[in-house]
Amino acid sequence: MNIVLYDTTLRDGTQRAGLSLSVEDKLKIARRLDELGIHYIEGGWPGSNPKDAEFFRRIPGTALRHAKVAAFGSTRRAGIRCADDASLQALAAADTPVVTLVGKSSVFHVERVLETTRDENLRMIAESVAFFKQLGKEVVYDAEHFFDGYAADPDYALATVAAAAESGADCVVLCDTNGGSLPRAVEECVRAVRALVRTPLGIHTHNDGGVALANALAAVAAGCVHVQGTINGYGERCGNMDLIPLIATLQLKLGYAALPSERLPQLTEVAHAVAALANLNLDPHAPYVGRHAFTHKAGLHAAAVAKVPESYQHIDPARVGNEMHVVVSELAGRSNVRLRARALGLEAGDREREVLQRLKELESRGFQFEAAEGSFEMLVRRAAPDYAPPFETVGFTVVSEKHGEQTTAQARVDLRVAGVTWHGAADGQGPVNALDRAARQALRHAHPELADLRLVDYKVRIVDEHLGTAAKPRVLIESDFGGERWTTTGCSENIIEASWQALSDSLELALVRRRERRSAGKKATSRRSHTEAAT
Ligand SMILES: [Zn+2]
């Protein structure tokens, strides 16, 4: 059975407080969703703001290969003709193959919010749908507050969707606009509509009761063939139904076809890419695609997954493009260290005991490596007998000043590279920024590749809250190095020192990985030239 996926990240998703997308971001997301294989992309509400109108002007130029673009708007206003309704005009002017019209299903909303009559609302729905059918559009009809309307007055709610269906709507979508419905009621309701309406049915749910996904699955079980949602569940209040776990669940567990199966491994990357464009951090515990969706911590579980991965995992993470992680913590046994080192492509070998000891010692001082795989990697690497650090810290000075309204920060860093000490000095927006810039300045001749390293997140936590100001800050820094990401950590009574530990781990890791790749490249080339010479 095929399920049609309708994405409304660009319209309903942007209703989320704190989420704002530029036209450029919206075009990028549309392209990415098209590559994934989403069938419909709702671009926005052309009558509502100039940004959405510009999106519709520019989207034809992006030449989507597969997805159809939908423009969203509401049924005509009460008491006027469709041809005289400015917002229907704007919708038509968006020039999309699909128009999605939202109309009222609940008497309460008709009388109290629209302040019109039941009959006029039915005419508004029927005439607006017919208006766009005459223009040759595919029309999706969104029945707003359908489940609440049905609970209050089932006959009237059914009459509204019948009006849309009889006027030629191509799909009738039942909306749980306030997000308060429960799966059983949704299922019953969908069956009631199915008994009356032959038009394909769709479902649009919100997560206010924490069951948006369960409601969508219940609706599909009852016969809905079109599902609306957003990537990562972005949306107003508690969010829309999250398309990512919906797709994975439909496809991997229920045997429905939504995306071509070879595209499912793109889910993790798409979830992260949309989060990055929205300037939000993807919940690390998001089902299927979160960084920790397949992370094992306790020694016992980790030992089991090392032997049989499926022992504590509901699916093979590779099927959605994710991977298994093992976190290292105070609970860690040697098998955790071994597994994690192996996952990084390193062999701790004889050094396992030594790494574990050092780990436990640092954790007792307030370090935490569970979320800092970059610092863990450096710990393993430094334990190697032939490890050569790309630089060593000689010292640093940081000065932060405040004069009136203005605060400034300067840092000076001295680093030794191959026996030579280099000095770097820089201003920054804050002391950590100044430190970072000064360190790169010191390394700019020896290691120009560090220009590609970006700090994307900086977090500080107090380790022992009850100790108040004497407590130790723990710093986590997330870095991006040409698409590779890692988190490093530091912990000290001195917040600048804690930041430097995390920062220098990140700089060092970038250099060590680059060095390793270069030497692997050289070996491969020399191997190739050997074989070429032999053949
Ligand atoms: Zn909605």
Side-chain angles (χ1 to χ4, degrees), residues 12 204 206 240:
D12 232 3
H204 175 117
H206 281 256
N240 281 59

Side-chain angles (χ1 to χ4, degrees), residues 160-199:
T160 64
V161 291
E166 283 157 19
S167 310
D170 296 278
C171 182
V172 167
V173 181
L174 310 177
C175 303
D176 186 27
T177 310
N178 294 0
S181 298
L182 296 176
R184 189 172 298 172
V186 167
E187 195 167 337
E188 274 168 24
C189 214
V190 171
R191 289 194 202 285
V193 178
R194 254 190 105 193
L196 183 83
V197 171
R198 288 188 150 191
T199 306

Side-chain angles (χ1 to χ4, degrees), residues 397-401 407-412 425-431 434-435 438:
T397 309
V398 176
V399 179
S400 209
E401 288 177 276
T407 45
T408 56
Q410 293 97 32
R412 176 195 157 104
D427 296 335
Q429 284 151 356
L435 202 54

Side-chain angles (χ1 to χ4, degrees), residues 461-473:
R461 264 273 158 82
I462 299 302
V463 179
D464 280 312
E465 271 114 349
H466 62 279
L467 294 176
T469 49
K472 273 186 184 175

Side-chain angles (χ1 to χ4, degrees), residues 14 21 43 135 171 199 229 231 313 360 368 485 523:
T14 58
L21 296 170
L135 294 178
C171 182
T199 306
I231 301 299
Q313 291 182 164
K360 289 189 169 171
Q368 211 179 50
R485 285 207 172 193
K523 266 185 216 151

